[in-house]
Amino acid sequence: MVNELKAAYLDVTPEIAKAIENEQPVVALESTIISHGMPYPKNVKTAREVEAMIRENGAVPATIAILNGRLKVGLSDAELEYFGKSGLNVAKASRRDIPFIVSGGKEGATTVAATMIIAAMAGIRIFATGGVGGVHRGGELSMDVSADLDELSRTNVAVVCAGMKSILDIGRSLEYLETVGVPVVGYQTDTVPAFYARSSGFSVDYRIDTPIAVAEALLSKYELGIDGSILITNPVPEKYALDSNKIENTIDEALAEMDSRGITGKETTPFLLARIAEQTGGESLETNIKLVLNNAKVAARIAVEYSNLASASKRG
Ligand code: PSU
Ligand code: MN
């Protein structure tokens, strides 16, 4: 049941509200990836394809954003277009930003952290994205650690992603997740994927090969009242994976340019993503799109199994 005070801030589309009410499968989607993660018009096209992929696999998509100060769960076609077209002109909204965007009646493209918060308010348990934020390279000095990591430790929404980009320090990001108690699951893999590449070389905490087994672990966690997410990492399909050495060089160049231009804070991730896409002549963008679609598919299948288990568990 959605808390009434919070519900007053939420606009949930009738289709999504009905699905949540009846414990039918719903998959949340973020909007920073649309506004700040990909260029227009591919971002809008991708967002629509991701929604369609979720439907094809038996779940209802719920793209989340903030519009006119309202927490939107489910966007119309025109709203999706608006977020895609506005790009960097829309504020990137993470946990700290939500109250100000709401009280100011403004717009915000929600990061993984903010999307998790709003999804949880609405009663959605599963969320698909491309990659989550993490500890940035050099983060042990700059302390640039994404708010996504802390959010994963406290909010009850499972996140399906393709691991972390190697613009980040993947090893330290995993250490941080271990400290705050977030399990990293490998979906049909023993090693944590590195976004464009299928493996970072780091071991996952648990390898799980079927959607139902993921759903069972999730249900145990939630019924036991152990707060926080499960990070489900799903490698990009083999045929779309990029050569990891090639992409490493591009990432190093982008990081060096970022340093020399003095880019810090929330600008770092969008800057690096755009630079890498430019440098690879759009190749990295194509891989990015394919891996998001693949995550949407897996998330929808997990959501279907979770909804079966959750309703059976309540009845029993
Ligand atoms: N990683 C990607 N693509 C993205 C993002 C991360 O591969 O678009 C976005 C997500 O919305 C994530 C945010 O929550 O960047 C992290 O930003 P920061 O590093 O500033 O926390
Ligand atoms: Mn940061």
Side-chain angles (χ1 to χ4, degrees), residues 30-38 92-94 96 109-115 127 129-136 144-149 163-165 167-168 195-196 265-270 273 288 291-292:
E30 59 153 314
S31 43
T32 294
I33 193 176
I34 305 173
S35 295
H36 294 65
M38 293 181 189
K92 175 174 158 186
S94 194
R96 64 174 178 185
T110 51
T111 62
V112 168
T115 304
F127 166 20
T129 185
V132 290
V135 178
H136 278 262
D144 189 348
V145 179
S146 176
D148 290 353
L149 296 186
M164 292 141 199
K165 279 204 179 71
I167 57 171
L168 300 170
F195 203 83
Y196 302 120
K266 67 188 207 176
E267 267 74 57
T268 58
T269 299
L273 300 184
N288 196 343
L291 67 84
V292 176

Side-chain angles (χ1 to χ4, degrees), residues 136-144 167 250-265 267-269 271-272 275:
H136 278 262
R137 291 204 205 168
E140 68 275 24
L141 294 175
S142 67
M143 289 188 70
D144 189 348
I167 57 171
T250 310
I251 288 169
D252 286 342
E253 281 166 29
L255 284 164
E257 189 182 339
M258 183 182 87
D259 279 344
S260 70
R261 288 171 57 171
I263 292 165
T264 58
E267 267 74 57
T268 58
T269 299
F271 172 81
L272 291 169
R275 205 75 193 94

Side-chain angles (χ1 to χ4, degrees), residues 115-160:
T115 304
M116 287 177 74
I117 293 171
I118 298 169
M121 282 179 194
I124 302 172
R125 297 296 207 179
I126 322 265
F127 166 20
T129 185
V132 290
V135 178
H136 278 262
R137 291 204 205 168
E140 68 275 24
L141 294 175
S142 67
M143 289 188 70
D144 189 348
V145 179
S146 176
D148 290 353
L149 296 186
D150 268 25
E151 205 60 53
L152 289 164
S153 76
R154 63 169 114 180
T155 301
N156 300 333
V157 176
V159 179
V160 182

Side-chain angles (χ1 to χ4, degrees), residues 9-136:
Y9 290 84
L10 287 169
D11 285 338
V12 185
T13 65
E15 183 198 19
I16 296 168
K18 190 166 157 243
I20 294 169
E21 188 68 35
N22 298 324
E23 294 209 56
Q24 281 160 359
V26 179
V27 175
L29 297 164
E30 59 153 314
S31 43
T32 294
I33 193 176
I34 305 173
S35 295
H36 294 65
M38 293 181 189
Y40 181 80
K42 276 217 170 131
N43 53 4
V44 177
K45 184 168 171 268
T46 302
R48 292 190 177 126
E49 285 170 2
V50 168
E51 290 203 347
M53 178 66 97
I54 288 171
R55 288 188 192 283
E56 276 163 38
N57 286 278
V60 176
T63 303
I64 290 176
I66 312 176
L67 198 55
N68 303 318
R70 304 285 305 162
L71 307 180
K72 309 292 279 186
V73 179
L75 297 184
S76 70
D77 233 36
E79 289 165 346
L80 259 188
E81 178 76 20
Y82 171 80
F83 278 98
K85 216 167 188 167
S86 306
L88 299 177
N89 294 323
V90 174
K92 175 174 158 186
S94 194
R95 167 177 274 270
R96 64 174 178 185
D97 310 297
I98 295 174
F100 299 92
I101 296 174
V102 166
S103 61
K106 299 220 161 69
E107 277 72 66
T110 51
T111 62
V112 168
T115 304
M116 287 177 74
I117 293 171
I118 298 169
M121 282 179 194
I124 302 172
R125 297 296 207 179
I126 322 265
F127 166 20
T129 185
V132 290
V135 178
H136 278 262

